[in-house]
Amino acid sequence: MFDPVQLKSFLAVAETHSFTRAAERLSLSQPTVSQHVRKLEAAAGRQLVARDTREVALTDNGDAMAGFARTILAANDAATRYFSGAAMRGRLRFGTADDLAITGLPRILREFRQLYPRLNLELTVSQSDQLYRRLKAGQLDLVFVKWVSGTQEGVVVKQDTFSWVGLEQTVLEPGAPVPVIAYPAPSLSRKLALDALEKAGRTWRVTCTTKQISGVLAAVRAGIGIAAMPTSLVPDDLKVITARFDLPPVGDVDFTLIRNPLANTELVDALTQAIMGRKLTPFDRRQ
């Protein structure tokens, strides 16, 4: 059993690389923090911190212990809230745009549910326009959608730019219609993509219509056409081909959280903070 107090002191040292700054963060004396780390090393039977006159760094065992410490302390905090009656209860209806679900969002939601086990989180995955309509109809409490950049409503989590995406070996014949893979209308990416082609005087034809990001990616990988999608969501096996074929810019997009003003403020605030406080990593096939 590792002492949570010792783990907190160790993590403070690991994150600040200083016993002095760790002590200031925890409002403890430096000797106390040092004692906690020594006791933790004794309990683990391994050296966790390498100390010299210039800096404080973690050993390989220290890196491993830091990961365990975060997990242990998070579980301890969740258990404390649960059994103290402080854990949030209720129902939170959350909707997310289909392609935003391929970011780090699943991991964030998993950790959120672990943190608030008594909270009933209901997830809806759909297109942004449909989610927005359901929010306004009172059917959802919070939505995470792709929105036109600069829109005043909601809280922007991340700003991005649409890019044209295809295979490395994609070939577009000069003068031929641009083969477009798109969501069905109404769809923000579809509208912006087709409007951009129209304004640039480029002819186009929709070669695949699909409701899911998995369908978009499958069609692009099959060489059926090209798609407009946020640049940060482009998987490693596909390429941004905007410049290669002199395709028109599609525009900017905001990944935005929009809340229902009638929803439980405490629940919506908690999930909003969880998403805002974590980095939305680029596309990851493991998610």
Side-chain angles (χ1 to χ4, degrees), residues 9-10 12-35 37 49 51-56:
S9 291
F10 167 71
V13 172
E15 292 169 357
T16 62
H17 301 284
S18 166
F19 282 90
T20 300
R21 289 193 293 273
E24 293 173 351
R25 174 187 290 189
L26 298 172
S27 298
L28 297 173
S29 67
Q30 182 175 333
T32 299
V33 172
S34 297
Q35 183 184 53
V37 173
V49 178
R51 309 164 178 83
D52 61 30
T53 57
R54 295 186 304 277
E55 63 179 7
V56 175

Side-chain angles (χ1 to χ4, degrees), residues 112-223:
F112 181 78
R113 292 185 66 247
Q114 292 171 348
L115 195 59
Y116 302 108
R118 294 187 180 184
L119 180 62
N120 181 15
L121 179 65
E122 298 179 2
L123 177 64
T124 299
V125 180
S126 186
Q127 294 183 42
S128 294
D129 288 346
Q130 295 174 2
L131 291 172
Y132 185 73
R133 287 198 298 271
R134 293 191 61 183
L135 180 81
K136 291 302 181 182
Q139 298 171 358
L140 294 171
D141 301 314
L142 179 69
V143 295
F144 191 28
V145 295
K146 301 193 308 294
W147 225 233
V148 176
S149 184
T151 302
Q152 298 300 313
E153 188 172 7
V155 177
V156 177
V157 178
K158 179 182 175 66
Q159 295 181 317
D160 205 346
T161 300
F162 279 110
S163 292
W164 291 102
V165 179
L167 294 170
E168 175 67 38
Q169 59 268 37
T170 294
V171 175
L172 298 182
E173 297 296 336
V178 177
V180 179
I181 299 164
Y183 290 107
S187 159
L188 176 64
S189 58
R190 178 191 179 104
K191 183 180 187 308
L192 292 179
L194 299 185
D195 284 352
L197 291 172
E198 292 279 358
K199 290 178 181 178
R202 300 287 293 267
T203 58
W204 53 268
R205 61 189 178 95
V206 175
T207 55
C208 176
T209 300
T210 176
K211 293 182 178 181
Q212 299 179 334
I213 185 62
S214 57
V216 172
L217 296 178
V220 174
R221 287 170 176 143

